[in-house]
Structure formats: structure tokens, C-alpha cells
Amino acid sequence: MIDQMLLKSEAENIGVILDETALGRFDRYAQRLVEVNMHLNLTAITEPAEIVYKHFLDSLTVLNAVTLPDSAQCIDVGTGAGFPGAALLIARPDLRMTLLDGTRKKLCFIQDTLDELGLSADVVHMRAEEAGQSGKHREQYDLVTARAVANLRELCEYCIPFTRIGGIFIAMKSVRSEEEIAEAQSAIRLMGGRIDKILSFTLPQAGERTLICIKKISQTPAKYPRPSAKIAKQPLR
Ligand code: SAM
């Protein structure tokens, strides 16, 4: 379905080596995405080359931004059809990956896909602000990712509570917005984070991309994350 050689060489260009098994799994993932998308709204991106660039390679840029030890504990918040989390797991099957979303339908797609690919992850149907208050998930993860879930200020309240001290939260954005970053400064600090680096680059066939990498330097106070209505109505300033 996809041009596996294209994926392999473009992944190499961003420093990610994909073996035959990974390429086969990406191919099957793309097939299932297109098949299931016919009756379940998973993605607007269904052209094979676009899937390669805008879903798979975009997801893999995370591996270029952070060095993850074997078996690192990761969570993808608002994973939807599995981006970036499931794509990261295909590239790095050693990762202990949690895929979290508040929408069950998409998670069924993910679970069935992972079963078919012979991969395992913890697929969790929960809202981020609830999971962030549970002992099972709070401050447990070396890497927290989120793509296209919320603005950075809200995202920090959703995601930094999951990060263990010393771990990294990567917010995946398209165009770099200094205003969005400035607005999120208080939230980052209050949640116990500090901006580590901001990587802005052009992803071939996809456009501008920005990875905002936030390091967790101190514990998140117990009252965060707040319930979702509060997060929306009373943004952190
Ligand atoms: N990350 C995927 C991607 O980039 O393709 C999906 C993006 S989709 C636009 C946003 C996803 O975030 C949806 O699946 C939605 O259910 C989920 N979501 C939004 N807010 C959430 C929350 N507070 N807790 C859990 N999931 C959330």
C-alpha cells in the first residue's frame, strides 16, 4: 500500500532506522487506517504518500528530539488513530507505550491494529485530566507526547502531570507560535516543567513543524490537573 522504500529513506533522513518488520507493520497500519476510515472517521489523510509523510514521518520526528533508553515508559495523550504513539511503537517495539484517548471508537481501532501487528501497548480509555490524577499514571512516564490535542497552555496541564521528574513532554505543533509559547509559560512553571528546547523544521511534503520539549524538574502540585471545565474556563496565568 505505501512506498516502503520511501518511508525507509525519509526515516533515515531524520535519523530513524526502520527494519523490514517495522516497514511491513507500517504498511499494514496504513491499509487498516484506510479500510476502517471508510466507516469510522479516523483521519482526513488517506493518500498513501500523505500517510507516510503526515502521519508516520511526522510521528517519528519525536525520536530525533529525544534519546530514549530501552523499555522507556511512554504515554501518548489524545492518541486518536495512534499518532504519534503507535507509530513510535512500530519503530521502537521495546518501548512500554500507553495510548490514551477519551474516545473509545478510535481506541478499538488501535487495539485491533496492534493485535494484528503483534505489538502490545496499554490502551487506555480515559480523559487526560482524570488519568493524570490516578496513581497508575501520575508522574510515571519518561516521555509524554501529544499531537493536535489542545493549545499548549491546556496541554501542559493535561500532560506534564504524567511526566516523571527528569522526563520529557513533547508537544507536537505545526507552525511555531511565540504567542502560544508565551501564554503557556505560567502553566509550564506551575506544573513543574521547564522548556528544554524548541525544534522548528520543515518536514518534506508536510510543511512547518515544531516540537516543544519540556523537561519535568519538580513535582506537579496535587491540585493539578483540574477538572476539564476548569481548565477551559480558568486558564493558568
Ligand atoms: N493525536 C492524534 C493525531 O495527531 O492524529 C489525534 C488528534 S485528534 C485531533 C485529538 C484527539 O485527542 C481526539 O481523539 C480526542 O478524543 C483526544 N482528546 C482531546 N482532549 C482529550 C482529553 N482531555 N483526554 C483524552 N483525550 C483527549
Side-chain angles (χ1 to χ4, degrees):
M1 158 124 204
I2 56 167
D3 182 340
Q4 295 187 31
M5 286 305 108
L6 174 78
L7 175 58
K8 185 178 165 66
S9 68
E10 291 285 16
E12 268 171 28
N13 289 340
I14 54 170
V16 179
I17 305 298
L18 298 175
D19 63 15
E20 292 296 311
T21 306
L23 291 168
R25 282 174 167 154
F26 273 119
D27 192 54
R28 188 65 196 120
Y29 188 7
Q31 280 176 30
R32 277 193 50 83
L33 195 61
V34 171
E35 279 163 20
V36 176
N37 202 53
M38 288 176 187
H39 55 88
L40 182 70
N41 186 18
L42 294 170
T43 177
I45 295 165
T46 52
E47 284 303 311
E50 273 201 301
I51 294 175
V52 166
Y53 284 104
K54 295 185 180 171
H55 281 325
F56 296 162
L57 289 163
D58 190 27
S59 297
L60 295 179
T61 59
V62 167
L63 295 176
N64 202 18
V66 66
T67 304
L68 292 170
D70 264 7
S71 311
Q73 195 94 39
C74 307
I75 184 168
D76 186 26
V77 176
T79 192
F83 304 112
L88 294 174
L89 186 61
I90 292 175
R92 285 281 308 266
D94 62 287
L95 298 177
R96 285 176 291 158
M97 179 65 71
T98 296
L99 300 168
L100 177 134
D101 203 288
T103 305
R104 191 184 292 278
K105 281 186 294 185
K106 293 182 184 174
L107 292 179
C108 293
F109 162 78
I110 293 281
Q111 187 63 68
D112 291 348
T113 303
L114 293 178
D115 290 348
E116 193 179 320
L117 301 184
L119 288 169
S120 69
D122 194 9
V123 177
V124 178
H125 177 224
M126 246 176 146
R127 291 203 48 98
E129 58 277 24
E130 290 161 12
Q133 286 291 1
S134 83
K136 180 165 185 255
H137 298 288
R138 190 176 177 89
E139 301 196 321
Q140 297 298 314
Y141 296 94
D142 302 297
L143 174 69
V144 181
T145 51
R147 185 183 86 160
V149 175
N151 71 54
L152 186 62
R153 177 160 56 184
E154 289 182 18
L155 217 42
C156 287
E157 189 164 351
Y158 287 142
C159 293
I160 297 177
F162 289 118
T163 317
R164 68 163 179 78
I165 293 174
I168 295 276
F169 160 47
I170 300 185
M172 304 178 71
K173 296 281 173 183
S174 50
V175 178
R176 177 172 176 151
S177 163
E178 298 302 340
E179 195 186 341
E180 186 181 8
I181 295 166
E183 267 179 11
Q185 289 297 340
S186 300
I188 294 170
R189 201 180 52 251
L190 279 169
M191 295 305 115
R194 187 184 62 205
I195 291 187
D196 185 40
K197 59 187 171 189
I198 302 177
L199 303 175
S200 295
F201 52 93
T202 303
L203 187 67
Q205 310 296 324
E208 295 302 296
R209 292 291 185 272
T210 300
L211 300 181
I212 302 164
C213 305
I214 295 169
K215 189 160 191 164
K216 179 85 166 250
I217 52 170
S218 59
Q219 263 192 348
T220 302
K223 67 173 174 174
Y224 302 114
R226 300 166 297 162
S228 57
K230 264 209 165 154
I231 294 178
K233 275 191 212 135
Q234 292 171 25
L236 297 169
R237 291 179 203 285

